[in-house]
Amino acid sequence: MLLKLNNFFPYDLLMLTIHVTMHVCCIIHPYVSNSICTDSSAFMDDFDIELDELELVAAAAGYHYYNSITRCPVHSVSPKGSGFLAEVLNGHDDSCREMLRMDKHVFHKLSDTFRQRGMLRDTAGVMIEEQLAIFLNIVGHNERNRVIQERFQHSGETISRHFNNVLKAIKSLSREFLQTPPLITPAEILQSNRFYPYFEDCIGVIDGLHIPAQVPAKDQSRFRNRKGVLTQNVLVACTFDLQFIFVYPGWEGSAPDSRVLQAVLGDPDQNFPQVPEGKYYLVDSGYSNMEGFIAPYGGVRYHLHEYRGANLLPRNAKELFNHRHASLSDAMRKSLNVLKIRFPILKLPPQYAFHTQRDLVIAACVLHNHIRREEKNDWLFNSIEAGSTEESPVLDEEPDPQMGFSIQEQMASSRRDSIAAAMWNDFINKWDEW
């Protein structure tokens, strides 16, 4: 290109480029105001230019300008790999709760625990925080390996390895996080005239939890529950503060709850916390009423929804006892609802070996307790305590017909009768609260 310019300084070059660009824009973009082009001839008189070659340059510049003013804004793409976790931890609190199922400080506390105790180690490409985030994304969203590969930009083998390492580390915390509460009257009982002093010796609630399971065809008949669904029956004990005390997964879905409890009590290797003398757990009608375990009266309305509308008030001591028993036992429903909402992997049969399915239940309960201890105002716990989460359908089991009636059951029945009588007496004389 030949440019015959006198005293051609950078400023002149800049002005020329701008002018020619706008001149070409007037040609290729009819919506640009005509005023841009009106004075072009006066400007060009200052230069001796061979326009046949300049037009090529101007056209390119004009095309670029045209694109710059007409291109649609590009939507931001979520970062991947370590950038994904950094965005979550540095972003809005709600994003962290959604992706990692817990608050930021709760997440960092758990990561620090693993690092300080040497339970997990940073690798060349994956820090402990990312390893934990991988695990939480899987259990908190029931994601498949290939989805996590894309999100964190690691191979399937790497994702699987860190998932199993974190699962093992969390499970190893179970002895520390699943513990019997202090042997004092729980605050939830002590501070309520409906429960105190009647349940002052109660230390928690026990129930069975059915988790969808995937098992080989030869085992499916044993794992099919009363609804015809393949499940593992999990024995669970919890406090009235919605923390888990004991978790025993892996039983066949067809096994009655009472039989699972008897098996646990008869096997010292299961480490079920011994019930202190004089103390007891609340159990539902699927269990026997025996020493250390008080069930509701059979053949009497029990569930809270049965005491609504015209049938609001109890008609006798047994109904009053059952209503308060159900109200106090509702801590189990709340605990399990929070657990399953936070970790949806427990709602569907996971694509893992059965021993991993068992371990996932324990790990979820450990994480549940960790969150409860570290953040009392956790959004899921708050929502369930406020009654804003959906109530799970009630499916009580019938008592196992193979369980006999023992002296212990007679003693437990006498204790239940005395509690019910004291309740009813106070209820008749004090109508302000029932």
Side-chain angles (χ1 to χ4, degrees):
M1 184 190 330
L2 299 176
L3 296 180
K4 301 176 183 177
L5 306 176
N6 295 321
N7 301 321
F8 196 81
F9 294 103
Y11 175 78
D12 299 317
L13 179 61
L14 174 63
M15 295 303 296
L16 174 63
T17 304
I18 294 175
H19 177 80
V20 173
T21 299
M22 291 188 298
H23 181 77
V24 175
C25 284
C26 293
I27 299 174
I28 65 175
H29 195 313
Y31 300 103
V32 177
S33 174
N34 290 332
S35 63
I36 295 178
C37 307
T38 54
D39 298 326
S40 62
S41 59
F43 185 92
M44 290 295 292
D45 289 340
D46 295 334
F47 303 97
D48 182 9
I49 304 174
E50 294 186 3
L51 290 179
D52 56 338
E53 297 186 21
L54 179 60
E55 286 175 354
L56 296 176
V57 178
Y63 179 75
H64 174 75
Y65 174 74
Y66 172 76
N67 280 344
S68 69
I69 64 175
T70 59
R71 184 186 298 120
C72 295
V74 179
H75 296 288
S76 60
V77 179
S78 298
K80 299 176 181 179
S82 58
F84 167 77
L85 180 58
E87 183 185 65
V88 170
L89 294 178
N90 295 324
H92 197 279
D93 291 342
D94 287 342
S95 296
C96 182
R97 294 173 186 137
E98 170 62 24
M99 297 308 302
L100 303 182
R101 316 307 291 155
M102 60 183 68
D103 285 279
K104 295 176 184 177
H105 70 95
V106 181
F107 174 83
H108 286 300
K109 178 67 177 292
L110 188 57
S111 299
D112 292 343
T113 298
F114 291 145
R115 178 172 285 110
Q116 292 165 5
R117 299 185 185 183
M119 303 169 74
L120 292 174
R121 295 182 180 180
D122 297 321
T123 65
V126 189
M127 302 289 284
I128 289 176
E129 286 77 10
E130 190 175 355
Q131 297 172 31
L132 179 57
I134 287 172
F135 180 86
L136 293 174
N137 265 249
I138 293 175
V139 301
H141 299 276
N142 197 25
E143 298 282 25
R144 294 293 183 262
N145 187 294
R146 70 177 60 151
V147 176
I148 303 301
Q149 289 179 47
E150 175 68 17
R151 184 171 297 162
F152 288 91
Q153 295 295 287
H154 295 302
S155 68
E157 186 278 330
T158 299
I159 296 297
S160 179
R161 172 162 39 86
H162 288 304
F163 172 84
N164 286 296
N165 288 343
V166 174
L167 175 59
K168 181 179 178 181
I170 295 175
K171 183 185 175 185
S172 67
L173 294 173
S174 59
R175 292 286 185 92
E176 178 180 342
F177 281 88
L178 304 176
Q179 292 185 345
T180 306
L183 298 180
I184 58 175
T185 302
E188 294 78 10
I189 294 176
L190 191 62
Q191 297 170 4
S192 172
N193 292 331
R194 300 173 62 230
F195 303 137
Y196 185 82
Y198 319 110
F199 295 109
E200 61 182 332
D201 293 321
C202 184
I203 58 177
V205 187
I206 286 180
D207 202 357
L209 169 64
H210 284 264
I211 299 292
Q214 180 169 297
V215 295
K218 63 183 179 63
D219 298 324
Q220 290 185 359
S221 61
R222 294 187 294 112
F223 281 85
R224 202 173 299 280
N225 66 11
R226 289 192 301 149
K227 287 185 173 182
V229 180
L230 295 176
T231 64
Q232 56 168 312
N233 193 350
V234 183
L235 179 69
V236 182
C238 77
T239 68
F240 301 108
D241 185 39
L242 311 187
Q243 293 193 49
F244 295 110
I245 302 171
F246 180 81
V247 182
Y248 182 43
W251 271 76
E252 303 92 334
S254 61
D257 289 346
S258 56
R259 189 175 301 174
V260 177
L261 177 59
Q262 289 293 337
V264 170
L265 295 177
D267 185 359
D269 292 337
Q270 299 305 324
N271 297 310
F272 183 83
Q274 184 175 2
V275 183
E277 185 176 356
K279 301 292 183 178
Y280 59 86
Y281 288 95
L282 298 181
V283 295
D284 66 24
S285 58
Y287 299 89
S288 299
N289 188 66
M290 58 185 182
E291 185 177 3
F293 306 91
I294 292 187
Y297 286 100
V300 179
R301 59 179 174 155
Y302 174 69
H303 299 294
L304 297 180
H305 65 82
E306 298 178 88
Y307 289 86
R308 295 171 183 165
N311 298 319
L312 179 63
L313 293 176
R315 295 166 294 190
N316 52 54
K318 290 184 177 181
E319 286 193 354
L320 179 62
F321 177 89
N322 275 13
H323 180 270
R324 292 187 179 176
H325 185 290
S327 298
L328 200 52
S329 298
D330 200 47
M332 177 62 76
R333 180 191 65 83
K334 293 177 179 178
S335 299
L336 297 181
N337 272 6
V338 170
L339 184 73
K340 290 184 286 187
I341 292 172
R342 194 185 305 275
F343 303 117
I345 198 170
L346 301 179
K347 295 182 178 181
L348 296 171
Q351 306 295 315
Y352 299 103
F354 189 69
H355 68 86
T356 301
Q357 297 178 50
R358 293 197 309 263
D359 291 347
L360 280 171
V361 178
I362 298 174
C365 292
V366 170
L367 291 172
H368 172 103
N369 281 11
H370 170 69
I371 295 169
R372 185 59 165 169
R373 295 180 187 183
E374 296 297 327
E375 182 51 78
K376 288 294 185 181
N377 291 319
D378 173 79
W379 87 104
L380 274 181
F381 282 110
N382 284 345
S383 66
I384 194 71
E385 290 180 319
S388 59
T389 57
E390 183 179 353
E391 182 175 350
S392 299
V394 176
L395 180 63
D396 281 349
E397 292 194 357
E398 296 296 327
D400 188 352
Q402 298 183 22
M403 305 301 294
F405 194 76
S406 65
I407 298 298
Q408 286 189 351
E409 291 175 309
Q410 294 178 12
M411 295 175 61
S413 294
S414 296
R415 184 174 191 177
R416 181 177 61 184
D417 290 342
S418 65
I419 293 174
M423 277 185 188
W424 183 251
N425 182 64
D426 290 341
F427 172 71
I428 293 299
N429 295 294
K430 301 175 182 177
W431 288 88
D432 56 331
E433 185 178 16
W434 67 278

